[in-house]
Amino acid sequence: MALKPLVAALLFGLSAQPATADDTIKLYTMDCGTIEASDMASFDSEGRFAGQSNTLAVPCYLIRHSKGDLLWDAGFNQAMVGNTPPAAGGFQASMRVKLTDQLADLGLAPADIEYISLSHWHPDHSGNAGLFATSTWVVHEAEREFMFSDAMKDANGDYAALVNAKTIQFTETHDLFGDGSAVIVPTPGHTTGHSILQLTLANAGTLLFSGDLYTHAEGRKVGAIPVFNVDKEQTIQSMALFEKLLKQYKARAIIEHEKADFDVLPKFPGYLD
Ligand SMILES: [Zn+2]
């Protein structure tokens, strides 16, 4: 009769879930801006989106875990709220609500957030990072090096305060809480230390946050590589890794700038768990 539990284990027990399913973890999706693109041409070096317009989401994500809160991506600088900048390069950026006001809805201030991590340094991902200088910054070593390199000394205003933050630097996959629930995976190419987040929730399962590895769902379908991209070969390898992880963990892809992916996540202050 010993076979019975074995068969049951084979049928039900060996799913591809990571080790954890901590039912206290919550994912909040916050609105950290919008980009109206009048021409998506620059999001594909082969020009396949030329002439197409699109509305791109700019999210910030708050992951609440018993071992601490993690802010994943910091959106546009919230000074933009009520102060919409002029369109530039075919892009109209705007921001409707401050990140700090959204955190306050949960009774939180930036100083309460234990960890901050950015998929990469671009201004639509690091705009409010400077508010989190008392958090521990979890950052790819190569990304941090570039962010404070001479090349960036006139352009790092939004995140400059992180220079003195406590840091956890990684070069390989980093399991933040040590339980497999929030795993940061290097996916270089878009920038030197671009990374994605693999998040596993008790009910919703595993989600893979793309950063800007892909810009939008259409771009993922064709493997579009933007004109502004540091290393094309690395990006192709990173896309292959993303697709492999999706299958391995039966995960759901969240393309961060894809408005459809933003819209189906619970509307803040609702959450996914
Ligand atoms: Zn972006």
Side-chain angles (χ1 to χ4, degrees), residues 35-44 47-54 56 88-92 228:
I35 301 169
E36 293 291 348
S38 58
D39 187 344
M40 293 289 287
S42 60
F43 292 110
D44 180 32
R48 285 167 288 196
F49 309 129
Q52 294 181 13
S53 60
N54 207 341
L56 301 175
F91 302 124
Q92 177 63 67
F228 44 92

Side-chain angles (χ1 to χ4, degrees), residues 35 43 56-58 73 119-120 122-125 190 211-212 214-215 228 256-257:
I35 301 169
F43 292 110
L56 301 175
V58 180
D73 276 343
S119 58
H120 63 301
H122 287 170
D124 52 324
H125 299 260
H190 186 63
D212 279 6
Y214 300 110
T215 307
F228 44 92
E256 296 190 22
H257 286 309

Side-chain angles (χ1 to χ4, degrees), residues 72-77 116-130 137-149 151-160 162 189-195 211-212 228-230 256-257:
W72 173 255
D73 276 343
F76 278 131
N77 190 318
I116 178 171
S117 192
L118 312 172
S119 58
H120 63 301
W121 67 266
H122 287 170
D124 52 324
H125 299 260
S126 65
N128 300 297
W137 181 25
V138 187
V139 59
H140 192 296
E141 192 179 274
E143 194 76 357
R144 189 188 184 285
E145 191 180 325
F146 179 77
M147 289 167 80
F148 291 106
S149 65
M152 295 298 286
K153 68 177 186 304
D154 297 326
N156 68 11
D158 288 345
Y159 61 76
L162 287 181
H190 186 63
T191 61
T192 46
H194 183 280
S195 301
D212 279 6
F228 44 92
N229 187 78
V230 169
E256 296 190 22
H257 286 309

